[in-house]
Amino acid sequence: VRSGKGLLWVDICETTEADGVLLSNVFGFHKLAIEDCVETAIHPPKVDDFGSYLFIIVHGINHASDIEHVVETAELALFVGANYLVSNHNFPLYSVEAIRQMAHAGPRPLTRGADFLAYLLIDALVDNILPTIDRMSDVAEAVEEQALASSHPATLQSIQRLKRSVRRIHRTIVSQREILNRLSRGEFPVIRQQTLVYYRDIYDHLVRIEDLNMN
């Protein structure tokens, strides 16, 4: 990190107080950003500019949740510096694992800069949203058929859970759309000019997902 050379990627899952000490002593991150990582509370998507690095929070699908007819979101926090990226999440994320496997298979994810690696992680996170929406649509159709056949309380509860999940995903997409819009228009020096187009592509993807969600 101090050399300014190469690219270091540190991924932290199920963050502990000891991890918070690492983030403070080794990287010198702001204490409020570290608190957001250590806390188990859900934070809204955001981007904070600390000069030499960005702190980004985006949301994806929590595939570890096993509650029937409920879709939970999970946070991915990213510290993006000139030659390092620290990713932090409290649940295993398919998107992080996919990019990790990509990095093991070949050098591409780690040779194009921290801002491009951050793009890959966020892009993979967003890619996992649409299949979940499709699954929710299938479940909704099945529940609707049950509702037509019976007004059982359990069926009505399933409908309410589905509605809450749809609203949750919609709020997440709307918030993240603005975050990606900011990351794609050259507002932050950490995101290089040649990488902006990739963030714009994620923004466009979120717009398309939102249109599907609204329909």
Side-chain angles (χ1 to χ4, degrees):
V1 172
R2 293 190 180 96
S3 73
K5 299 177 181 178
L7 174 60
L8 173 67
W9 176 18
V10 177
D11 181 62
I12 301 173
C13 184
E14 299 183 29
T15 316
T16 65
E17 293 289 345
D19 295 320
V21 173
L22 169 74
L23 296 176
S24 176
N25 292 349
V26 174
F27 292 93
F29 294 143
H30 195 283
K31 65 178 183 179
L32 293 180
I34 295 174
E35 286 177 5
D36 284 351
C37 294
V38 175
E39 290 176 353
T40 57
I42 299 296
H43 305 88
K46 67 177 181 177
V47 54
D48 291 332
D49 188 358
F50 289 101
S52 61
Y53 65 92
L54 293 179
F55 178 61
I56 304 169
I57 291 180
V58 288
H59 286 204
I61 302 301
N62 178 11
H63 294 280
S65 176
D66 58 358
I67 305 175
E68 187 180 13
H69 298 165
V70 173
V71 177
E72 299 286 349
T73 57
E75 285 183 23
L76 174 63
L78 301 172
F79 296 89
V80 188
N83 70 318
Y84 64 82
L85 184 141
V86 178
S87 51
N88 179 91
H89 45 103
N90 284 314
F91 296 96
L93 294 174
Y94 291 165
S95 54
V96 175
E97 183 58 29
I99 304 305
R100 192 204 315 275
Q101 291 179 9
M102 186 187 298
H104 281 302
R108 177 176 174 267
L110 301 179
T111 58
R112 301 181 65 177
D115 56 348
F116 187 79
L117 178 58
Y119 148 74
L120 288 175
L121 287 166
I122 298 173
D123 186 52
L125 196 76
V126 171
D127 280 346
N128 278 325
I129 294 176
L130 190 55
T132 300
I133 292 177
D134 290 339
R135 179 171 60 84
M136 287 173 60
S137 298
D138 292 340
V139 172
E141 289 181 5
V143 172
E144 186 176 20
E145 290 178 2
Q146 294 176 15
L148 292 174
S150 169
S151 58
H152 194 278
T155 303
L156 299 177
Q157 291 172 6
S158 295
I159 293 173
Q160 290 300 317
R161 287 196 293 267
L162 279 169
K163 287 182 176 179
R164 285 195 295 270
S165 293
V166 169
R167 288 195 295 268
R168 185 181 300 114
I169 291 179
H170 178 67
R171 288 195 301 268
T172 298
I173 290 174
V174 170
S175 299
Q176 289 187 175
R177 184 188 62 188
E178 179 55 28
I179 298 303
L180 268 299
N181 186 34
R182 293 181 63 191
L183 291 171
S184 70
R185 64 190 187 201
E187 180 179 343
F188 308 107
V190 170
I191 308 297
R192 297 166 299 166
Q193 189 69 32
Q194 63 264 36
T195 316
L196 297 178
V197 63
Y198 297 102
Y199 285 91
R200 185 69 188 184
D201 184 66
I202 302 177
Y203 169 80
D204 292 340
H205 192 179
L206 284 171
V207 171
R208 291 194 297 272
I209 291 175
E210 184 184 2
D211 288 342
L212 289 173
N213 198 24
M214 292 296 292
N215 294 330

